[in-house]
Amino acid sequence: MLKPESFAAGAWIAPGDGARAIHGPNDGSQIALAGGAGLDVQAMLDWARNTGGPALREMGFHDRARMLKALAGYLTERKEELYALNTLTGATRRDGAVDIEGGIGTLAVIAGKGRREMPDGQVYVDGAPEGLSRDGSFVGQHICVPLQGVAVHINAFNFPVWGMLEKLAPTLLAGMPAIVKPATQTCYLTEACFRMMIESGLLPEGAVQLVVGGVGDMLDHLGAQDVVSFTGSADTALHLRGNVNLMRNSVRFHSEQDSLNATILGPDASAGTPEFDAFIKEVSNEITTKAGQKCTAIRRILVPQSAMSDVAEALLARLSGVKVGDPGDDSTRMGALASASQKADVLEKLAAFAPETRRLTGDPEDTGANPAGAYLAPTLLQCDDPDAATALHQMEAFGPVSTLMPYRDLSHATQLANRGGGSLVASLVTADADVARQVTMASAAWHGRLYIVGGANAKSATGHGAPMPHMVHGGPGRAGGGEELGGVRGVLHYMQRTAIQGSPEVIAAITGQWMPGAPTSTGPAHPFQRTFAEIAIGESLETKARTVTLDDIEHFAHFTGDTFYAHMDEDAARANPFFPGRVAHGYLLLSFAAGLFVQPDPGPVLANTGLNGLSFQKPVSPGDSIRCRLTCARKTRRTDTYGEVAWSVTLTNQDGDQVAQYELLTMVSYDR
């Protein structure tokens, strides 16, 4: 008998007198006892806010990213312990991989994006500075900083590991502690993964807590710095959103809820094409993976009227080979639903669909491998008049159920897809880019993600129902209006965007990044002879001047092959509204700039790795001279042996006018 425990204010708390019996979906027997213990909600919130929050905020983004990466590695080493519990949820090992390894992979991806796309500091700079005065002495900058409260994560039963980790990854990277509340039916698997995280010793004290059972009156104690992130039914989301305290304090509420996702077979994807085959495979997978218990599963299958019989025949043939039964049996393709109550809910929805559909396959009376289990055969319905249907566009059967519907033209297809009232994902299978554009323009506003695939990339595509941590996972309308993932976008949900206004010196001090107008300094040696640790933000080098001659321009033109008329033909150049006559190549100026600021001797600089934001402001004519100013704008640790230094480079002419600017990236060793 499993007895999953809560983890509150640093202590493990066993199930109490009011614990709930959990019956397994495979044979209906009791497998666990959970919840029922009285939890000190205020103590949990205080521990998160006063211990976990400060510890996380003391770390920088890269410190937290390294922590997540290490945690992903630790969980990977112990994943077989999670697979040992996975079959108790009714899921096959293949389905469990989506949950277990998908969750661990999400941790790793978010960690990687934190290292690559966020600064090596504590303040996230959002966009470019805004000039607010003529002389540049007063500027504005948007920044994001961690909220100083706690994130309460309320998760669904279908993904007990991924559901927890995909929320924790952006939350912890943002620098915010979290209290995780899994669905009770599968909480034992969540608790096993959570216990591993605590045992790893990688997380600061107070960073995470776990509630097995109900959260009590926790929502009544939340304030303006707190966040509630919910996954589940629209009805439950509505109930939670209506909490008076949440509304009074404008507590952020992120919701990922019911979603009537649709897939569209393009008019070009007829039987026999690679697109048609990819479509049949994708729809079949979405009906059967996790026994259809996915918020992203395909519920409505939209195909041209002329293709209805071909699609129905192909789907029936594929679904007929799906073995339903014990998820521990390697030959089983689809296991049980998560519980008997979940099966009853799906059967209730099927009864509501009956007046609008006819069943092509899937007998609801078929009890499958074990009459005591929560098994349900893959069920394919057909609706011949989707315009007249209502229940199919308003209710979700959260199981292995999908409905085939005909459309007249693309406009009709997108209208039907949009009738779901907002979804997490809609997909389109087509080889026609114009079809893809028409569908996107007509329906993107109604879906959080559009998954468009053709025969050429079907094998490499990630899948209709696979939320990727790089991309937004959320959707408008009935899908909840939230965005749980999306790389750094997901992280910013747990941060406050603030506009700061002041002098360049003040802005640079706050962000830890130099900006034009902020103070500069001169180091004791050429900056390319100084280690990563020695280089200071704002450290600057101003070079001597170099005159650009006509011979330089002509030599560069013939040497590179760039004989554009503005560099070679005086009359043609003068006729151009941008040039006073023949001018130097922009890339010649960059080459001369490198020659002006480079230090040729061996030193800590390992390599130049790129440049950003190159722009040319004023042409350089023969006889003009240029000089460079090189300023350290920011530093980012990359490995234990080297880091990246971003240099702001400006080129000016003999009159002091800026002619070009860019950001140069160099890798610099920590040691000499």
Side-chain angles (χ1 to χ4, degrees):
M1 179 71 65
L2 299 171
K3 295 183 179 180
E5 298 180 327
S6 295
F7 185 73
W12 289 100
I13 301 175
D17 294 337
R20 169 185 158 186
I22 300 175
H23 293 86
N26 298 325
D27 60 11
S29 63
Q30 184 176 340
I31 59 173
L33 197 65
L39 300 178
D40 188 336
V41 167
Q42 192 58 56
M44 295 180 71
L45 295 174
D46 290 343
W47 199 56
R49 292 166 179 159
N50 301 329
T51 301
L56 286 168
R57 293 194 295 273
E58 183 67 23
M59 304 166 71
F61 292 109
H62 284 213
D63 297 321
R64 297 192 287 264
R66 280 187 284 268
M67 175 186 73
L68 294 179
K69 180 180 179 181
L71 187 60
Y74 183 85
L75 294 177
T76 297
E77 293 175 356
R78 298 184 62 178
K79 66 183 181 181
E80 289 303 323
E81 298 175 47
L82 301 177
Y83 276 117
L85 294 174
N86 172 68
T87 54
L88 295 177
T89 70
T92 64
R93 184 178 178 93
R94 177 184 177 186
D95 290 340
V98 179
D99 183 32
I100 296 168
E101 298 190 52
I104 295 171
T106 295
L107 270 182
V109 169
I110 296 298
K113 294 186 81 66
R115 291 288 302 277
R116 293 190 301 273
E117 300 177 26
M118 303 190 80
D120 188 9
Q122 297 169 314
V123 176
Y124 180 80
V125 177
D126 184 16
E130 299 285 349
L132 303 176
S133 66
R134 289 181 178 274
D135 63 0
S137 64
F138 192 71
V139 296
Q141 175 70 64
H142 288 96
I143 64 169
C144 295
V145 295
L147 290 168
Q148 296 182 9
V150 58
V152 178
H153 295 166
I154 303 174
N155 297 327
F157 67 83
N158 52 330
F159 286 101
V161 175
W162 181 85
M164 173 175 66
L165 298 181
E166 63 99 10
K167 285 186 173 72
L168 278 180
T171 304
L172 295 176
L173 181 56
M176 195 175 192
I179 297 174
V180 179
K181 192 276 183 228
T184 304
Q185 178 63 35
T186 53
C187 67
Y188 50 87
L189 184 50
T190 307
E191 190 253 24
C193 183
F194 185 94
R195 190 177 288 271
M196 292 177 188
M197 293 193 295
I198 298 301
E199 292 171 351
S200 74
L202 293 168
L203 301 177
E205 190 174 77
V208 293
Q209 297 177 77
L210 179 71
V211 175
V212 172
V215 296
D217 64 349
M218 184 178 289
L219 300 187
D220 296 333
H221 296 265
L222 301 183
Q225 288 291 305
D226 301 317
V227 178
V228 176
S229 183
F230 169 80
T231 298
S233 72
D235 288 341
T236 304
L238 180 63
H239 172 72
L240 296 177
R241 284 181 189 272
N243 180 281
V244 173
N245 180 65
L246 298 187
M247 293 189 290
R248 179 183 296 117
N249 290 300
S250 298
V251 177
R252 297 188 189 191
F253 189 98
H254 305 310
S255 180
E256 189 263 278
Q257 55 196 52
D258 296 355
S259 181
L260 292 174
N261 311 298
T263 186
I264 301 172
L265 179 66
D268 59 302
S270 56
T273 65
E275 287 71 32
F276 183 90
D277 295 340
F279 181 83
I280 297 302
K281 180 180 179 180
E282 191 74 18
V283 171
S284 175
N285 286 341
E286 287 301 307
I287 292 174
T288 56
T289 300
K290 290 286 288 186
Q293 298 169 115
K294 295 196 307 175
C295 57
T296 53
I298 293 170
R299 304 301 179 195
R300 296 170 300 150
I301 310 163
L302 310 178
V303 305
Q305 178 71 62
S306 60
M308 285 286 285
S309 60
D310 289 336
V311 170
E313 180 181 347
L315 281 176
L316 290 174
R318 193 171 183 93
L319 292 175
S320 67
V322 174
K323 178 183 176 182
V324 179
D326 180 2
D329 185 337
D330 291 341
S331 65
T332 295
R333 175 62 183 84
M334 192 179 87
L337 276 73
S339 65
S341 62
Q342 182 59 30
K343 177 180 177 180
D345 182 75
V346 174
L347 293 177
E348 181 182 330
K349 298 299 193 303
L350 284 173
F353 296 160
E356 300 174 356
T357 64
R358 53 192 175 94
R359 179 165 50 86
L360 301 183
T361 189
D363 184 356
E365 301 299 324
D366 183 0
T367 57
N370 190 326
Y375 297 98
L376 189 65
T379 302
L380 181 64
L381 307 176
Q382 180 166 322
C383 173
D384 295 316
D385 189 1
D387 293 321
T390 55
L392 290 170
H393 302 300
Q394 295 176 0
M395 301 169 62
E396 180 182 20
F398 202 69
V401 178
S402 195
T403 304
L404 186 61
M405 303 179 182
Y407 70 79
R408 296 183 296 274
D409 51 34
L410 279 182
S411 177
H412 187 218
T414 55
Q415 288 172 22
L416 292 174
N418 297 348
R419 279 190 64 188
S423 75
L424 298 172
V425 55
S427 59
L428 168 67
V429 179
T430 182
D432 190 327
D434 185 57
V435 168
R437 185 182 188 281
Q438 290 181 58
V439 171
T440 299
M441 298 306 295
S443 60
W446 286 98
H447 311 287
R449 176 165 57 93
L450 286 179
Y451 175 83
I452 304 169
V453 66
N457 62 0
K459 290 184 178 180
S460 59
T462 53
H464 164 104
M468 303 302 293
H470 321 67
M471 309 300 293
V472 164
H473 178 54
R478 70 175 295 125
E483 295 180 1
E484 286 196 332
L485 291 174
V488 173
R489 295 173 187 83
V491 179
L492 298 183
H493 290 314
Y494 300 95
M495 305 183 75
Q496 175 62 45
R497 181 181 291 105
T498 301
I500 55 174
Q501 296 171 275
S503 68
E505 179 179 6
V506 166
I507 304 297
I510 292 171
T511 63
Q513 300 183 22
W514 182 85
M515 65 182 303
T520 59
S521 62
T522 302
H526 191 286
F528 285 9
Q529 289 297 307
R530 286 162 59 72
T531 66
F532 182 87
E534 292 170 338
I535 296 170
I537 300 294
E539 186 170 327
S540 187
L541 170 72
E542 186 163 353
T543 72
K544 62 182 181 180
R546 173 169 180 165
T547 300
V548 179
T549 67
L550 186 60
D551 286 343
D552 292 330
I553 296 172
E554 292 186 343
H555 175 74
F556 189 83
H558 293 302
F559 183 71
T560 63
D562 181 359
T563 55
F564 184 62
Y565 71 85
H567 313 305
M568 306 301 291
D569 187 324
E570 181 70 22
D571 291 337
R574 286 185 180 278
N576 186 309
F578 291 103
F579 304 123
R582 294 176 70 179
V583 296
H585 305 68
Y587 298 112
L588 170 61
L589 301 181
L590 293 185
S591 299
F592 279 178
L596 289 170
F597 61 64
V598 74
Q599 216 292 343
D601 299 329
V605 171
L606 303 174
N608 292 341
T609 57
L611 58 84
N612 298 323
L614 171 63
S615 63
F616 299 107
Q617 288 84 40
K618 189 171 184 177
V620 172
S621 301
D624 288 350
S625 63
I626 60 169
R627 67 175 66 238
C628 296
R629 175 176 286 275
L630 187 77
T631 305
C632 175
R634 66 179 185 278
K635 297 164 53 179
T636 305
R637 290 178 292 171
R638 291 303 183 197
T639 72
D640 292 336
T641 59
Y642 63 84
E644 179 185 85
V645 178
W647 304 91
S648 173
V649 183
T650 57
L651 279 65
T652 54
N653 64 14
Q654 66 279 359
D655 299 321
D657 297 331
Q658 186 169 297
V659 299
Q661 65 178 6
Y662 58 96
E663 181 180 80
L664 173 69
L665 304 178
T666 62
M667 291 299 176
V668 182
S669 174
Y670 288 147
D671 302 314
R672 293 185 180 279

